[in-house]
Amino acid sequence: MIKSELVQIVAARNPHLYHRDVENIVNAVLDEITDALSAGNRVELRGFGAFSVKNRPSRSGRNPRTGDSVFVEEKWVPFFKTGKELRERLNPGSDPDLDIDVDED
């Protein structure tokens, strides 16, 4: 799904809102998440997941085309961890909190 499809779906579910208002709302939410991550903050959407920023230290890498060793600079990358409700919807019937082996004889 791309952003324009998300806007269309939200607008269709909320016919009392103008399409341009829905687009502004979606953009505002994404901008706030981006701004928070840029400031080094964590963004948690309960039931959906949490966005955070992780540091990848500099390292020695390899150019896959030539095989030459190259230096890769340190960088900050976005990280997303799914929430419990999202995991349960993606994996119905499984409970990762239970560590019980059941023999079906």
Side-chain angles (χ1 to χ4, degrees):
M1 174 184 300
I2 60 175
K3 186 166 59 170
S4 61
E5 292 171 336
L6 176 63
V7 170
Q8 287 177 341
I9 291 169
V10 173
R13 289 186 183 179
N14 297 280
H16 61 285
L17 297 174
Y18 291 111
H19 188 272
R20 71 174 184 275
D21 291 338
V22 172
E23 187 172 5
N24 288 337
I25 291 167
V26 169
N27 285 333
V29 169
L30 296 177
D31 287 345
E32 287 302 315
I33 291 172
T34 301
D35 291 346
L37 293 175
S38 295
N41 297 322
R42 182 174 184 265
V43 177
E44 181 178 335
L45 304 172
R46 294 277 166 102
F48 182 70
F51 297 91
S52 60
V53 180
K54 289 194 173 190
N55 179 271
R56 289 206 179 146
S58 60
R59 61 184 172 83
S60 177
R62 187 182 65 83
N63 182 330
R65 184 172 294 174
T66 64
D68 294 341
S69 181
V70 294
F71 177 75
V72 179
E73 292 188 14
E74 164 187 65
K75 60 184 163 184
W76 294 90
V77 294
F79 179 76
F80 177 76
K81 181 176 180 185
T82 58
K84 183 177 179 182
E85 288 177 33
L86 178 57
R87 273 194 312 273
E88 288 173 352
R89 286 186 68 179
L90 294 175
N91 301 294
S94 67
D95 189 353
D97 295 333
L98 296 179
D99 249 356
I100 301 171
D101 290 330
V102 179
D103 291 340
E104 294 186 25
D105 291 327

